[in-house]
Amino acid sequence: MGEEKNTVGEEPLSPCSRLFNSPDFNCAIIVIMGCKVKGNAPAIIDGLKHTLVNHPRFSSILEMNDGKKGKPSWVRTEVRVEDHVIVPDIDPNIENPDQYLEDYISKLTTVPMDLSKPLWEIHLLCLKTSNAESIGLLKIHHSLGDGMSLMSLFLACTRKTSDPEALPTVAVRKKQFGPSCDTGFFNKIWWLFVGLWFILKLVFNTFVDVLMFALTICFLRDTETPLLAKPGTELVPKRFVHRIISFDDVKVVKNAMKLTVNDVLLGVTQAGLSRYLSRRYDQEATPKSKESMRRIRLRSAIMINLRPNTGIEALADMMAKKSKCRWGNLFGYILLPFSVGLETDPLEYVRRAKVTVDRKKHSLEAVFSMAFFKLILKILGLKASVVLVRKVIHNTTLTFSNVVGPKEEITFHGHPLSYIAPSVFGHPHALTVHFQSYENKVIISVTADPTVIPDPHKMCDDFVESLKLIKSSVLERGLYEMEV
């Protein structure tokens, strides 16, 4: 049944939302929720009526031509939640439930969103898998928001299992730079020089990164590897696979080498991709030496959210009171180089990752890329902007992301979750790697084009094995000291 429009609540699409709605860049996000109990559709429907549908984006339909001044707009509508919750009929005695889930999600990536209603839906699968009693699949069009904002909104719809009235606890990084108030005169002089050096490094790194970004748009493409996408890969049904690893193992490496979690996960990714590529080259009878693999140019086009992230408390309050809060897509791109090659010392992957991440922290590449794309959109229009974004993605190899999740077990409308595995599809990359922390776990999600990467399960296993080797190397050298 269709939903009734309310043109009073009309709001124009942001430039980034228009980009995600273009036919050549039609992206959506899928969040796989592993539930510890059997699916209860009425409970989820009732919960959504009091949370998600109170968000303006999730109660608006997309009008591409009939909005204000003929421009694409979000138009508020009455939402019938039952039309957005899909419960397929599944044989309870199915032979291989994990494979059925993988096939179901793959088919879901080929089904376009229904533009006659708000661009989201939940599939509730009464399917017992190896890690869950039932599965929830949340499919959201990317034009509704960036990944960080949508994850915050999802968490705002959940509560702690231990305290049904409390919102989840998510770790927040505390940044401190500069002298404290009681710093002496000479220390202030020292911090002045540090600040000048920081500015010089920021300007230099930004100049180099913007230059490389421009060259990538023009002609600079990653090395031809078994991971590089083929033309039309965004239209191919994707395979979604995941593995669950211990967050404590990640923290062992983090604390021993005085790194961040992101440094460790990037190092694990570099190590896993090196193992995978080496095996593929051997299978294809084109073995590569250690030095030749190091010469491979392999980069990720990473979307960086430039809008201050709205906290889950503000989002929960907004949905409860039907008030307003900051929302929307506002992002830039950075090009993150990956160092691949077979290393005799597994810790080398993590050291290289830290150098790469530290350098990218001192660059305004994302800000400049966002400003450039907005300028192109304003002057040359949507088609030109889409062409340039597609060139950046087409000339790089993968999408990589890492999102911090709740510290404790959470419940989604009466369904305690055993894991959360988000990912994205619809962009012209053959490979997407996403890390999601949850409780004492980290979920590694791999989304792959099977015509390019026919064995994504082996790639996941390579990531898991790489972390084991890195952790073992730390323990063997006695680098790890238990934190009190």
Side-chain angles (χ1 to χ4, degrees):
M1 188 167 84
E3 280 148 353
E4 190 177 339
K5 299 179 186 178
N6 175 17
T7 54
V8 175
E10 192 170 321
E11 182 181 344
L13 263 69
S14 68
C16 295
S17 292
R18 290 177 61 193
L19 174 68
F20 281 125
N21 269 295
S22 64
D24 295 324
F25 202 73
N26 202 355
C27 297
I29 293 170
I30 283 186
V31 181
I32 307 172
M33 299 177 283
C35 305
K36 291 187 173 183
V37 297
K38 291 184 178 180
N40 184 346
I44 288 181
I45 290 172
D46 184 65
L48 292 173
K49 287 179 179 179
H50 296 91
T51 54
L52 202 61
V53 296
N54 291 333
H55 190 286
R57 285 290 184 276
F58 286 76
S59 56
S60 299
I61 59 174
L62 177 64
E63 288 289 353
M64 293 302 294
N65 300 311
D66 299 331
K68 293 179 180 178
K69 300 180 181 179
K71 294 182 179 180
S73 298
W74 297 111
V75 180
R76 294 296 293 269
T77 184
E78 293 294 327
V79 181
R80 189 172 184 272
V81 178
E82 290 81 359
D83 292 341
H84 293 262
V85 179
I86 301 164
V87 185
D89 187 16
I90 301 175
D91 181 2
N93 300 316
I94 194 166
E95 189 172 329
N96 190 339
D98 289 326
Q99 186 61 49
Y100 178 90
L101 174 61
E102 189 178 320
D103 294 339
Y104 187 94
I105 299 173
S106 181
K107 184 178 179 181
L108 196 59
T109 66
T110 66
V111 181
M113 303 292 286
D114 184 356
L115 295 179
S116 68
K117 59 184 183 181
L119 302 178
W120 64 273
E121 59 193 35
I122 290 183
H123 296 246
L124 186 60
L125 280 60
C126 298
L127 181 73
K128 184 176 181 179
T129 64
S130 55
N131 294 311
E133 292 294 321
S134 63
I135 299 293
L137 300 173
L138 179 58
K139 182 180 178 183
I140 308 172
H141 199 278
H142 218 322
S143 61
L144 268 63
D146 60 83
M148 288 295 295
S149 297
L150 291 172
M151 180 55 66
S152 295
L153 182 63
F154 166 73
L155 293 178
C157 295
T158 67
R159 295 295 183 269
K160 294 180 182 179
T161 303
S162 59
D163 183 358
E165 298 299 319
L167 288 166
T169 305
V170 180
V172 179
R173 294 177 185 173
K174 295 180 180 179
K175 295 183 179 180
Q176 183 175 356
F177 181 81
S180 59
C181 296
D182 57 351
T183 302
F185 173 76
F186 290 106
N187 276 336
K188 288 181 179 179
I189 295 295
W190 164 250
W191 276 108
L192 176 63
F193 282 108
V194 170
L196 290 173
W197 169 245
F198 175 85
I199 292 172
L200 289 173
K201 189 161 69 167
L202 183 70
V203 171
F204 177 77
N205 288 344
T206 301
F207 172 78
V208 172
D209 289 342
V210 170
L211 177 61
M212 290 298 293
F213 200 93
L215 294 177
T216 300
I217 290 176
C218 295
F219 62 85
L220 188 63
R221 194 166 192 235
D222 280 4
T223 306
E224 195 77 34
T225 68
L227 304 177
L228 201 60
K230 300 174 183 177
T233 192
E234 66 273 18
L235 304 176
V236 177
K238 301 299 187 295
R239 309 301 295 186
F240 287 70
V241 299
H242 69 269
R243 293 290 185 274
I244 300 175
I245 58 176
S246 169
F247 203 177
D248 289 337
D249 290 347
V250 175
K251 290 177 181 177
V252 165
V253 181
K254 165 186 170 291
N255 296 331
M257 301 185 69
K258 296 179 174 56
L259 307 172
T260 66
V261 170
N262 199 47
D263 295 336
V264 178
L265 296 180
L266 179 58
V268 168
T269 305
Q270 293 186 152
L273 292 179
S274 298
R275 289 171 62 89
Y276 180 83
L277 282 173
S278 178
R279 184 173 61 253
R280 284 286 298 271
Y281 283 131
D282 289 341
Q283 290 173 350
E284 296 170 10
T286 55
K288 301 279 185 180
S289 67
K290 178 179 176 180
E291 291 304 318
S292 62
M293 280 192 68
R294 279 184 176 171
R295 289 196 293 270
I296 290 176
R297 183 190 302 114
L298 194 154
R299 297 171 296 169
S300 170
I302 298 180
M303 191 184 299
I304 301 295
N305 179 25
L306 297 175
R307 188 188 300 276
N309 194 33
T310 305
I312 61 176
E313 293 84 3
L315 288 168
D317 188 62
M318 178 269 292
M319 290 187 290
K321 298 179 180 178
K322 299 184 180 181
S323 56
K324 293 184 178 181
C325 69
R326 185 187 295 270
W327 188 263
N329 278 300
L330 184 66
F331 65 88
Y333 277 103
I334 67 169
L335 303 181
L336 186 71
F338 281 66
S339 176
V340 294
L342 296 178
E343 301 288 350
T344 53
D345 179 6
L347 300 185
E348 187 61 27
Y349 295 110
V350 185
R351 295 189 191 101
R352 290 174 181 266
K354 176 175 172 53
V355 171
T356 301
V357 172
D358 285 351
R359 187 196 171 283
K360 285 294 180 179
K361 287 177 181 176
H362 296 89
S363 173
L364 297 177
E365 179 182 4
V367 176
F368 274 82
S369 65
M370 181 271 293
F372 172 72
F373 285 128
K374 287 186 72 174
L375 181 65
I376 294 298
L377 181 63
K378 186 175 181 179
I379 296 176
L380 300 179
L382 180 62
K383 288 186 178 180
S385 185
V386 170
V387 167
L388 293 179
V389 172
R390 283 181 59 87
K391 277 191 173 184
V392 171
I393 298 178
H394 177 70
N395 287 338
T396 54
T397 302
L398 75 150
T399 298
F400 175 85
S401 60
N402 167 35
V403 174
V404 179
K407 294 181 177 180
E408 62 283 296
E409 182 183 285
I410 60 174
T411 298
F412 181 73
H413 302 311
H415 295 70
L417 302 183
S418 57
Y419 70 88
I420 309 167
S423 194
V424 64
F425 67 93
H427 55 298
H429 270 156
L431 175 62
T432 297
V433 179
H434 181 89
F435 291 89
Q436 174 70 54
S437 67
Y438 173 55
E439 242 183 324
N440 61 343
K441 312 165 189 173
V442 174
I443 298 90
I444 307 173
S445 298
V446 169
T447 304
D449 176 352
T451 64
V452 178
I453 303 168
D455 49 359
H457 286 281
K458 289 185 178 179
M459 179 179 287
C460 278
D461 293 337
D462 286 331
F463 292 141
V464 174
E465 186 62 27
S466 295
L467 176 59
K468 288 180 180 178
L469 291 174
I470 292 171
K471 178 191 171 186
S472 296
S473 184
V474 164
L475 296 177
E476 286 171 4
R477 301 181 193 192
L479 298 176
Y480 178 65
E481 294 181 4
M482 183 68 71
E483 284 191 328
V484 180

